[in-house]
Amino acid sequence: MTGTAPSATDVLIVGAGIAGASLAAALAPWRRVLLVEAEDTPGYHATGRSAAFWHESYGGAGVQPLTRASLDALDRPPADFAEQGFLTPRGALTLGRSVDAVAVDAFAAAFSEKGVAVDRISGAAVAAHIPGLRPHWCEAAYEAACRDIDVGRLHAAYLRAAKRAGASLVTRAPFRRARRMTQGWEVEVGGATIRADLLVNAAGAWADQVAAASGVAPVGIQPRRRTMLQLRLGVPVPADLPLVIDIGGAFYFKGESEGRIWLTPHDETPVDPHDVVPEEIDVATAIDRLQSVVDWPVAAIERKWAGLRSFAPDRLPVFGADRHEPRFIWCAGQGGFGIQTAPAIAALLAAQLGAPEPQGAIGWIDPSPFAASRFG
């Protein structure tokens, strides 16, 4: 283990990715918090491999309130948290072919009804956003408010804030098991045994394994592999190219720098939790799908990587006390939207664990749709 683990704490959080780090930062001013991480570096499997953006419609209508409520914290954080915001302009196109016009109409209408700023565009207006677009890709919903998120800086800011408030972080401390005691938990992590009043499961892809090793029924968190590529192109595609997402969920890509893009086939391959790597078939699929959309020659695959996204059965995040074990707290199932919703989820869950109720837009959110108690 790296770091000194106390023998006892109020709240022990398993997992120091964006979910655990943001919760630790929100809760540490009010409770003694210990954050434990199995890897050498927090955020190794998911947070650190994310091509994150703040995109209000991403994740669906059920997730959208958490995304919207998180905007101010990401864009205009308090001065004692960060010197500047974590967002930079991007814009997003939910793109379809001529045969997808009805689906794009429905997408734009559904999110417009929720107050999302969506412009329905067609034909030349779509092509103006994407140089080299093939003619049959002519229907889109444009969201100008989409921004990139500086994930590394945001994650580091949460870890710093947690530390300033008194939280402890121990890395190289894999969770072994937990035993329910009369007044809390006896938890084995690394080579230490720690007593905790509350045990928070923010273990991402390993969330169901942590539950099972604590004598708690899993809720069905499924890890899924997501493949990402950085391509150097043979044409001067602009760095500020919008985020382009297929209405059917078959790809997304966005500008990375002049003549370079990040691309994914939007794969969600179910896997057991482990250190995933990209499969060549997924790399080939991504490029094939890209070239069906634009006429850009690919000069080189400069990078390729894969990360883990984890979903509950209903694809909504899971946070709050377990249905049958109220001192076991879930903070899992954030899928691909965990970073853009982290401020809201952390504030709402921290309030359930002893922090003050959140104010502003976050305070208006009803957390019940995301409660762990929804699972039997």
Side-chain angles (χ1 to χ4, degrees):
M1 296 199 312
T2 302
T4 303
S7 60
T9 189
D10 294 339
V11 182
L12 190 152
I13 302 174
V14 180
I18 199 73
S22 57
L23 177 62
L27 190 56
W30 316 100
R31 305 289 299 270
R32 290 182 302 161
V33 173
L34 171 62
L35 193 58
V36 297
E37 169 59 50
E39 304 295 344
D40 295 353
T41 305
Y44 178 73
H45 293 283
T47 301
R49 307 185 193 192
S50 172
F53 35 77
W54 185 92
H55 183 203
E56 194 168 355
S57 63
Y58 196 68
V63 174
Q64 181 265 343
L66 296 170
T67 301
R68 172 175 287 185
S70 297
L71 177 59
D72 281 350
L74 295 170
D75 196 32
R76 295 180 293 275
D80 61 350
F81 183 74
E83 294 181 356
Q84 62 187 45
F86 302 95
L87 305 180
T88 53
R90 171 63 62 181
L93 285 165
T94 299
L95 182 68
R97 300 156 297 175
S98 54
V99 297
D100 299 317
V102 172
V104 178
D105 285 343
F107 172 91
F111 283 99
S112 292
E113 288 177 1
K114 293 180 71 66
V116 179
V118 180
D119 292 328
R120 179 68 171 89
I121 59 176
S122 297
V126 181
H129 286 284
I130 310 173
L133 184 67
R134 299 192 187 279
H136 57 285
W137 292 91
C138 57
E139 306 293 340
Y142 182 62
E143 295 174 62
C146 176
R147 333 273 182 91
D148 287 342
I149 304 175
D150 189 334
V151 179
R153 196 162 61 84
L154 176 65
H155 188 212
Y158 277 130
L159 292 171
R160 283 196 306 271
K163 182 178 180 180
R164 283 197 307 268
S168 300
L169 169 64
V170 180
T171 57
R172 299 182 189 172
F175 175 90
R176 309 290 188 195
R177 62 186 61 85
R179 184 163 64 97
R180 185 71 167 87
M181 309 293 287
T182 304
Q183 297 298 321
W185 296 91
E186 187 176 80
V187 186
E188 295 180 29
V189 288
T193 300
I194 302 161
R195 288 184 176 270
D197 183 34
L198 299 175
L199 178 59
V200 177
N201 183 2
W206 284 263
D208 270 3
Q209 290 188 3
V210 167
S214 305
V216 173
V219 299
I221 301 295
Q222 175 62 63
R224 296 176 180 269
R225 186 179 66 242
R226 166 60 52 86
T227 305
M228 294 294 302
L229 312 177
Q230 179 175 302
L231 302 181
R232 177 165 54 84
L233 304 169
V235 290
V237 174
D240 62 355
L241 183 80
L243 170 68
V244 180
I245 299 181
D246 173 37
I247 186 69
F251 60 80
Y252 73 70
F253 56 88
K254 68 174 185 174
E256 195 281 326
S257 60
E258 191 71 24
R260 290 175 171 83
I261 62 167
W262 280 9
L263 166 69
T264 174
H266 220 251
D267 48 331
E268 291 185 354
T269 305
V271 294
D272 291 331
H274 69 288
D275 188 7
V276 292
V277 296
E279 300 284 341
E280 289 305 316
I281 185 62
D282 295 324
V283 173
T285 297
I287 294 173
D288 181 67
R289 290 176 180 176
L290 174 72
Q291 294 185 325
S292 74
V293 179
V294 291
D295 63 2
W296 305 335
V298 175
I301 301 172
E302 295 188 322
R303 295 174 57 204
K304 54 185 177 181
W305 68 99
L308 291 171
R309 298 153 52 92
S310 301
F311 290 94
D314 59 7
R315 296 183 70 88
L316 293 179
V318 182
F319 58 90
D322 183 78
R323 180 174 185 143
H324 301 293
E325 178 44 77
R327 291 183 179 273
F328 186 91
I329 313 299
W330 291 86
C331 185
Q334 287 91 349
F337 40 81
I339 295 166
Q340 69 179 29
T341 60
I345 291 176
L348 292 166
L349 182 53
Q352 297 175 24
L353 306 182
E357 293 293 328
Q359 302 300 307
I362 297 176
W364 287 100
I365 294 177
D366 175 12
S368 61
F370 315 108
S373 58
R374 71 186 189 268
F375 298 104

